[in-house]
Each structure stands twice: as structure tokens, then as C-alpha cells.
Amino acid sequence: MNGLMMDQPLLISTLLRHAERHHGTQEVVSRRVEGDIHRCTYVELAARSRRMARAMAALGVAAGQRVGTLAWNGYRHLELYYAVSGSGAVLHTLNPRLHADQLAWIADHAEDQVLCFDKTFLPLVESVAQRLTTVRHFVLMVDHDHMPASTAIPGLLCYEDLIDGQADDGFEWPAFDENTASSLCYTSGTTGHPKGVLYSHRSTVLHTFASALPDALNLGARDVILPVVPMFHVNAWGLPYSACMVGAKLVLPGPGLGGKSLHELFETEGVTLSAGVPTVWQGLLAHVQSQGLTFSTMRRTVIGGSACPPAMMEAFEDTHGVQVIHAWGMTELSPIGTVGILKGHQQDLPREQRRTIQAKQGRGVFGIDMKIVGDDGEELPWDGRASGELLVRGAWVVDRYLKADHDGQPGPLVHRNGQGWFPTGDVATVDADGFMQITDRAKDVIKSGGEWIGSIDLENIAMAHPAVAMAACIAARHPKWDERPLLVVVRKPDASLERDELLAFFEGKIAKWWTPDDVVFVDAIPLGATGKMLKNRLREQHGGHLLHKD
Ligand code: ADP
């Protein structure tokens, strides 16, 4: 027997409609690429989103088609979040920090029809425009006066002209099945090409509910939220959606991610909550400390993407009175999986013990189930000691990657043990209170300042050098970037090759920041039974290499 309740699909457009009707005068403040500060209300943002939705339809974007963005955190990007997904098309946020070749590959793979981008990225888009096989329209996210006098992009469109060309009256967001695709992010997986994670309206709205809970990010209408985490990095951890759900003021920092620029915004806009990877906070804390500044309104900051160093937690909490919310997530999880808020009986523990718990990655939020398994797939106990691969499942966890079947990747990837669990590639313990702690990573990727560097790509380049017999690229711990790529190389017999020559060989083949920091030459690389390089062993041997340099 069915329940007798209204059947209302969980759609992203409902978040914006709610913000408009219930928090209409709440502000969205953006630092623009143009250099100034822009302010609007949710009422204005909603109206402009509807006009942009009409403009996209006029460009021929149909339901299910992808619209790419290359943009900072700003109100126009936010309008696209709602205009594109709200219409039933798919918002594909591209990461502008990737190399042009990778971007072109990803845009082609996603079959993006339209590409909207900030002026910062005009040279980048000019360099790839000719190569993109599916993009029919390029949209520069500026007003008419900021359009370039000339450009290599034929028929370049102006964002504000598109909005001006449409009326707002009579527009209704379409209703459709909540399982319809809404947005798309690519992640540099462990092997081969980047992989597309295609979120749905349902998964996004459920993730939004969960992320706002008191023991998750604890969001409310009194909050002023400044997401430092980019809107091209797993939807800024869902904050563009959750801010609308709870009616919070949003402050979007645009390209101004330096300590000074961020601190100014925190203070002038009264920011209460922020979110970002540890590397960003290092820059901010250094600035605040060197200038003798304080945080007069900020109460909480979400830190995730990489482990939050204990010293950072101390600086925020003890020196500045800012609570650190340590969170763990993945692109494949939309991204929130666990959050490290203490339980009642832990709150009065001695400081050191509390810190030990807070250094863990946290407890699963409702909607995410997790378990750790040993090599044989057997579930391990939650005793804080047994360590195994972390598997998760839930309503906002990927089931399979976009076009996985075409790419020769495993189709449904979660059905390990026939039970529908997604293997995260993280190795973890879980304690009796349900706090998960990452102890190692089984996947061969490097996370530098919160962004992935694909080790396979770097190895392939190194192996193409005529003097290299074998090359492994591993994550070495780094004081600023958390991890940086380190090459471990076996030279060919009788070949001579030195560090600088090999590093110069990477020039032009990858984004500059992907270049390995150093090379260690060895006689042999340890191999496993199936001939795979034992990267865990290499990480044990050389993972500390960069910490001792400089
Ligand atoms: P995000 O950076 O938003 O978390 P990604 O998909 O880029 O998403 O990266 C996910 C991976 O990053 C995780 O599988 C894990 O290895 C690492 N990671 C994320 N959060 C943390 C954290 N708090 N501590 C340690 N590692 C983390």
C-alpha cells in the first residue's frame, strides 16, 4: 500500500525557488574578475537564472545535454548552476587548472555543447577552441563593455547580452523525474583517463539536506558562507545548493584566493563559515598571523580534501576561536562522506584526546554507510586498530562512471562482493564511536593543494625518455602542498641521465604544476606478483623525501 502523500520530485530548481520565496532579500556578494564587488539578492539571482535558462534553450541546449563552465566562484557561475540543471540540462564544471590537452579531452568526452567561461580563461579557451569537437557556442561571462575587441574564438557570445535578450515573465522551471542527470564532474582516477561522475537531481538534493545537518556542516539562515573551495571542485562541496536550502548569505571570492583578499572579505561581509582545502588555510593563517589580525565574525571552517594538519586545527581553534569541521569526501560521493563533529561524551575529554579524535576524518553522515574490509573482502571490526580498504554506499554515491562501458572501464563498479559497495581507494580504521581515520591510500594518485595529479601520466612521460628503463611516480609529503609528485627512476644500463634533464623533458607536456618536484634514481623498483609496481613500498621508502629538502 502506498502512502498518501504528495509526489514532489527532488529537483535542484526547488532550492532556488525556496531561496527566492523565503529568503528573497538575502544577499549574494561576489568579487568579480572585473575587480569590483557585485551584490544581488536571491530574488534577483533567481530572475537572472530563469532568463539564462531561456537563453540556453534559445542556443539549442536540449534536456540532458551538457553545458561546460570554466569559472571562479561568482554569481554568474551560480546562475548557471541553476539555469542549466534547473532546465533539465547538465552542468559540467571543468577544472581550469588542468592542462589544455586534458581539458579538451574531458570536454569532448562529456560532449559539451556550450562552454561558458570567465575572462581569466580566455587565453586558455582560445588555445583549445579549434580542437573541441562538440562545443557549438562559447560564452564569455562578462558584460558587453568587457568583451574583447578581437578574439580567436569565432562567434564568441556575451553572457550579459544573452540575459538581456530574454524576459523573465511567465517562465516556470520544468518538472521531471528526480533521477534525471543534473551535473557532471570529472575526477582524475587511478588509471587512464579522467572519469565522469554524473550526479542526479535526487542525489544532489539529498546530499544538500544531509550536508546542512547540525553534525555535518551545520548551516542555517543566520550564516554567511564563503566557499573558498572552487565551484569547479565537486560543486564547492555542495554549498551553492545548501546556501539556498537554508537561506544563508553567500560570499563568492572570485579569483581572489590569497590570504589578504580572503581576510578582507571575511571581515567586510561578516562571514561566519568558510570551507576549503588545507593549503588555502595555510596562506590565510600566515597572512592573519603576520599582520596581527583576527577573525571577528568567523565561527566555523570546513577543512577537507586532504587531512587537516593538527597544527592548523590548533591555530584556528586555540588562537582564533574558529571551530574546525574536518570532513572527508570524494567526487564520487558528491562529495560529503564523513564529518568529524564530536559526540556528547567526547566533548569534555582533555584537549589532547579531543584533538586526536578531531584529527580523524569523522563519522558517516546519514545517507552514507561505510565499512572497512581486509584483502579477502571480509569486513573488519570497528576497533580503531584494524585497517582496511574503505567501502561506502548511499544515495549520493556513484554507481558507474559516465560512458564507462565505452571506455573499457568496468561497468557497474560498485558491485564488489555483489553487495553494492563503492571502493574508495582509501585505507582506513574505524573506531567504536564510528570515527573513520584514513591511514593510507591504495590508489596511485597524488593530491597537491587539494587537486589531483595523475601519476600514470607522469610515468608515461618519464618512460618516453630514451634513458629511462622504469619510472614510478609517487606522492611525497610536502610541508606546503601536502603531497607533491616524486619520480623514482631506474636508468637504462649504461645510460646517463640526471634530474634536471629529466624534469626539463616534462616541459610543455603537462600543466607546469604537475611537474615532479624531484627525481630519485634507484637500481630497481619493487614489483608485486603480477608485475605491478609496489607503490605502497615506494611510498614507505621515499614518501618523506621532499620533507627533508630545501
Ligand atoms: P575532494 O577533494 O572534494 O575530497 P576528490 O574526489 O578530489 O574530492 O578527492 C577525494 C580523495 O581525497 C579521498 O578519496 C581521499 O583520498 C582524499 N581526501 C579527501 N578528504 C580528505 C581528508 N579530510 N583527509 C584525508 N584525505 C582526504
Side-chain angles (χ1 to χ4, degrees), residues 491-505:
R491 293 190 192 90
K492 284 199 178 142
D494 305 325
S496 74
L497 175 67
E498 293 309 324
R499 168 191 187 274
D500 292 350
E501 184 191 342
L502 183 54
L503 294 185
F505 189 65

Side-chain angles (χ1 to χ4, degrees), residues 186-188 229 233-234 237 277-278 303-308 326-336 338 359-361 422 424-427 436 438 440-441 443 445 447 450-452 482-483:
Y186 277 72
T187 178
S188 307
V229 54
H233 189 137
V234 214
W237 299 347
V277 298
I303 302 188
S306 296
C308 177
H326 190 195
W328 167 86
M330 298 180 74
T331 306
E332 286 89 337
L333 273 73
S334 311
I336 296 173
T338 63
K360 301 185 180 195
Q361 274 68 21
F422 169 70
T424 63
D426 288 320
V427 178
M436 183 273 285
I438 295 184
D440 194 10
R441 202 185 276 150
K443 48 194 169 190
V445 281
K447 201 144 196 207
E451 300 280 0
W452 288 125
D482 192 33
E483 292 179 3

Side-chain angles (χ1 to χ4, degrees), residues 295-327:
F295 296 103
S296 54
T297 55
M298 185 144 82
R299 295 289 164 261
R300 304 177 318 284
T301 182
V302 185
I303 302 188
S306 296
C308 177
M312 182 170 289
M313 219 169 259
E314 263 160 47
F316 268 121
E317 298 203 343
D318 298 349
T319 313
H320 298 292
V322 174
Q323 181 199 2
V324 169
I325 301 174
H326 190 195

